[in-house]
Amino acid sequence: MLVYGDPKRSDRADTLCEAIAAQLRTFDRRSPGLERHAALVGIFIKAGELVQGLSDAEFDTLGADELSARREKCGALLLELARLVAQSWSSGFSARLAPPKHIWALLRDLRAPWDLSIKEGEGYAFYALYPECYMEAARRSGLAANTVVIGLRSIGTSLSAAVAAAIGAAAPVTLRPVGHPFRREIRVGPHLSRRLLQDGTADFAIVDEGPGLSGSSLGSVADWLEEHGVREDRIHFFPGHRGELGPQASEDHRKRWAERPRHVVELDELFFAAHPPHRLAAWVSELVGPLRQPLQEISGGGWRSVLACGRDSWPPADPRFERRKFLAHASDGTWLVKFAGLGDVGQRKLEKARLLAKAGFAPPVAGLCHGFLVQKWIAAAPLAPSEFHRAEFIGHLGRYLAFRASRLPRPKTNGASMAMLYEMAIANSEEALGEAVATRLKSRLSNGDDLPVVPVDTDGRLHPWEWLAGAEGFLKADGLDHSAGHDLVGPQDIAWDIAGATIEFDLSPDEAADLRAIVSDGCSRAVDAKLQDILELCYLAFHLGLWSSAKCGAAAEEVQRLDSLVARYRGLLLRRLEEGAGQGA
């Protein structure tokens, strides 16, 4: 099933350098504390994106990773910033910090009008992966300063600098694994190869997030090192978790993974068992006041246990796409503490949350504390199915979608093109329903080839359980993440959300037309009914794939919920195709 995406954005080297320089100047004027530290981590992540983009541009030109003056400067810039982050963290955010003077010269040298392709780190954006975790893992590793640190682009660019700074090593080398996702390989130029192998006594630290389904990116670097004479006992891994390699891993990689050291410090060790300046609860208390009890974990579907409904009525959950989240119980009520993202990603979510709350569409916001958004928890029951057909709700929903389309800033990354949505829909329908159904779907989708689309910050998750009836009206939960998530859909025309609402709330044709008219009026452009029809098919095929694949590894009770949802999407997709055939579409 096609479910995951690989969002990228276009940027320029000079624009990024200017932004980093401006943020450093602001940082220099901040008082010590968590807010300053979070800003510094954001600068460090942005510099990592700059270095990733520049390094990939050279790789594309040369066909391999190789030494260059530009890459030397990139490494020096990133290492200096990593050292600042390490000093801030180890001092409990109290150290007096100032960027070294040569950072400004490095930024000037890297400032040029080059177009870059930037991939935001998935761990920083979605999975609460903190560079401080890698720093602490490196400090505990016992590795010496002559260790050769190798980061895998994209996110390994900055994570490897965090490791290098923590052990006092030289600037890391970054490599781009290429090829089939389950059989990655690296391409290293001769000069860089000699640099990597020049110290016959050095250990090697291979740094990345993951591993995922195969771990072949991490494995490809270890393969290359062994092929070039490095003993296996000199190879160390710095992954994002303590788990094993995924089901697509080779046996050789599994054997090595079991035998070699994996240096990991996970989020809970860092933010819950740490001394007070590093505890998440202490950060939240600064926003909402003293907590009456420890933070309550509700990640991975745990949020359902605090809903005002019995277990038999729980909605399905898909932990693959859930953010870490907790409840904070303070004197003035309960607050949701949810990972929103580090750096610019988190700041954009904070801005969006405040806009939606001010407009009355989402709960109030207390603030952002180093990647975690703190928002009021509304103890309300999910809406009854009959509520979704009331004119009052449809009017509110229409105003909400119009607000998103007209007032929210567009996400930085691109969503799937119509061609990509078509490819996904045909592939998922063929896997789930067979070739004949996929052929009929392909014919229907060909009717939308020339439809204009205007991508906006869509909600992307309009399921019935995401809506609450509060004292002051309807409220939307979980409205911040899905237009810029890890799935392949991303930002779409607002017709995608109208299509989703039509399906999720089982709206009649008249109700769907009313909703479309309200959205069109609110965002001052007509939403195309034909586009909505095409996107309903794509929506059904996407969710058919999404929730079908969620069953892998799920408990039996959860599989029952998922099967029910999948059966509904399957039936609706078949029905819409039959209706289209009856109309001669």
Side-chain angles (χ1 to χ4, degrees):
M1 295 289 190
L2 297 182
V3 172
Y4 286 97
D6 189 27
K8 298 180 176 68
R9 75 172 195 271
S10 298
D11 219 321
R12 282 168 48 113
D14 51 357
T15 302
L16 282 171
C17 286
E18 289 161 7
I20 293 166
Q23 290 178 357
L24 277 172
R25 285 190 289 269
T26 301
F27 162 81
D28 217 13
R29 297 191 294 270
R30 287 180 183 266
S31 301
L34 177 64
E35 188 175 342
R36 184 189 68 168
H37 178 79
L40 178 58
V41 171
I43 295 168
F44 173 61
I45 290 172
K46 189 184 294 290
E49 293 176 348
L50 169 68
V51 171
Q52 171 256 304
L54 289 169
S55 301
D56 279 344
E58 286 198 358
F59 181 94
D60 291 342
T61 299
L62 299 174
D65 282 302
E66 185 56 287
L67 291 179
S68 72
R70 184 186 303 158
R71 290 189 62 167
E72 294 287 315
K73 292 173 181 177
C74 283
L77 170 67
L78 209 50
L79 185 59
E80 290 292 0
L81 290 172
R83 288 169 176 162
L84 287 174
V85 173
Q87 291 171 37
S88 175
W89 179 258
S90 62
S91 72
F93 319 132
S94 64
R96 298 179 65 86
L97 302 174
K101 292 182 179 179
H102 64 276
I103 278 186
W104 308 107
L106 291 169
L107 287 170
R108 283 194 299 272
D109 290 345
L110 295 173
R111 186 181 295 134
W114 298 313
D115 293 322
L116 304 178
S117 178
I118 305 297
K119 188 176 186 302
E120 290 182 341
E122 293 164 2
Y124 298 152
F126 312 134
Y127 302 122
L129 197 64
Y130 281 70
E132 297 94 328
C133 290
Y134 282 73
M135 290 176 174
E136 189 59 38
R139 290 191 183 106
R140 300 178 188 181
S141 70
L143 290 172
N146 72 331
T147 300
V148 178
V149 182
I150 300 173
L152 305 189
R153 302 195 298 272
S154 297
I155 194 173
T157 306
S158 48
L159 292 176
S160 60
V163 169
I167 62 175
V173 169
T174 69
L175 302 174
R176 168 61 70 187
V178 295
H180 189 281
F182 302 154
R183 296 182 295 278
R184 297 291 197 197
E185 60 182 31
I186 58 171
R187 300 171 186 168
V188 184
H191 300 292
L192 179 56
S193 178
R194 286 193 290 272
R195 167 77 66 83
L196 289 170
L197 303 170
Q198 65 185 0
D199 185 349
T201 68
D203 288 318
F204 290 82
I206 306 172
V207 187
D208 195 17
E209 62 184 354
L213 289 174
S214 71
S216 70
S217 292
L218 290 159
S220 68
V221 181
D223 290 342
W224 185 91
L225 290 171
E226 290 188 24
E227 289 166 4
H228 287 77
V230 174
R231 298 192 318 272
E232 187 180 87
D233 63 5
R234 293 163 57 196
I235 296 173
H236 296 248
F237 293 106
F238 284 80
H241 59 77
R242 290 194 172 94
E244 299 303 318
L245 300 182
Q248 300 297 331
S250 71
E251 287 305 313
D252 286 345
H253 285 183
R254 287 188 191 281
K255 181 175 182 295
R256 183 195 290 130
W257 193 252
E259 294 173 351
R260 297 309 306 141
R262 290 173 259 161
H263 304 285
V264 180
V265 170
E266 295 185 330
L267 179 75
D268 289 15
E269 297 175 68
L270 205 65
F271 290 175
F272 289 88
H275 61 292
H278 294 162
R279 288 181 187 160
L280 178 58
W283 305 346
V284 175
S285 295
E286 293 183 8
L287 292 176
V288 302
L291 303 187
R292 294 188 283 108
Q293 63 188 68
L295 291 172
Q296 178 184 353
E297 173 92 56
I298 57 168
S299 306
W303 49 272
R304 297 173 296 182
S305 67
V306 293
L307 294 178
C309 62
R311 193 180 185 96
D312 291 345
S313 301
W314 279 9
D318 185 358
R320 297 174 302 169
F321 292 99
E322 283 200 21
R323 312 299 195 264
R324 287 298 297 274
K325 56 180 78 70
F326 307 86
L327 291 183
H329 302 279
S331 60
D332 65 343
T334 302
W335 297 83
L336 175 65
V337 181
K338 181 178 179 181
F339 183 72
L342 298 176
D344 288 351
V345 173
Q347 290 297 326
R348 291 196 294 267
K349 297 273 183 69
L350 175 62
E351 177 186 359
K352 188 193 308 187
R354 284 174 169 164
L355 287 171
L356 290 171
K358 185 178 180 180
F361 295 119
V365 179
L368 184 73
C369 49
H370 194 18
F372 279 87
L373 184 73
V374 182
Q375 196 165 21
K376 197 71 175 179
W377 176 261
I378 305 299
L383 272 65
S386 59
E387 292 286 325
F388 300 119
H389 298 277
R390 289 172 50 197
E392 180 185 1
F393 175 77
I394 291 174
H396 178 88
L397 173 60
R399 291 188 294 275
Y400 169 68
L401 297 183
F403 184 88
R404 295 192 72 101
S406 60
R407 298 288 300 279
L408 294 187
R410 188 176 180 276
K412 296 293 184 181
T413 54
N414 296 321
S417 65
M418 293 298 287
M420 294 168 65
L421 290 177
Y422 294 173
E423 178 187 8
M424 171 276 297
I426 293 165
N428 288 1
S429 62
E430 181 170 0
E431 182 169 339
L433 301 168
E435 184 177 356
V437 172
T439 299
R440 288 162 57 195
L441 178 59
K442 184 176 181 179
S443 176
R444 282 285 300 277
L445 295 177
S446 65
N447 296 330
D449 286 345
D450 58 348
L451 294 174
V453 297
V454 180
V456 298
D457 190 336
T458 39
D459 180 289
R461 187 57 66 96
L462 292 171
H463 297 73
W465 59 82
E466 303 283 0
W467 289 89
L468 303 170
E472 299 179 3
F474 302 108
L475 290 174
K476 178 63 173 66
D478 196 20
L480 304 178
D481 297 324
H482 297 288
S483 65
H486 196 187
D487 62 62
L488 63 77
V489 176
Q492 294 295 328
D493 193 282
I494 199 61
W496 177 270
D497 275 346
I498 298 175
T502 300
I503 290 163
E504 299 302 341
F505 307 141
D506 197 22
L507 300 182
S508 69
D510 287 343
E511 290 169 334
D514 289 345
L515 175 61
R516 190 169 58 250
I518 295 167
V519 176
S520 297
D521 289 344
C523 61
S524 301
R525 72 174 180 88
V527 179
D528 193 315
K530 185 177 179 182
L531 176 61
Q532 178 190 334
D533 179 63
I534 292 292
L535 291 180
E536 284 183 21
L537 297 171
C538 294
Y539 182 98
L540 286 166
F542 172 71
H543 283 274
L544 179 60
L546 177 71
W547 298 99
S548 294
S549 60
K551 293 188 289 183
C552 181
E557 180 185 13
E558 197 67 58
V559 169
Q560 289 183 339
R561 298 188 188 100
L562 294 167
D563 278 339
S564 177
L565 191 61
V566 167
R568 180 173 184 270
Y569 290 128
R570 181 188 294 115
L572 286 173
L573 180 55
L574 289 172
R575 192 172 79 191
R576 274 166 168 71
L577 290 174
E578 290 167 0
E579 291 169 350
Q583 296 167 5

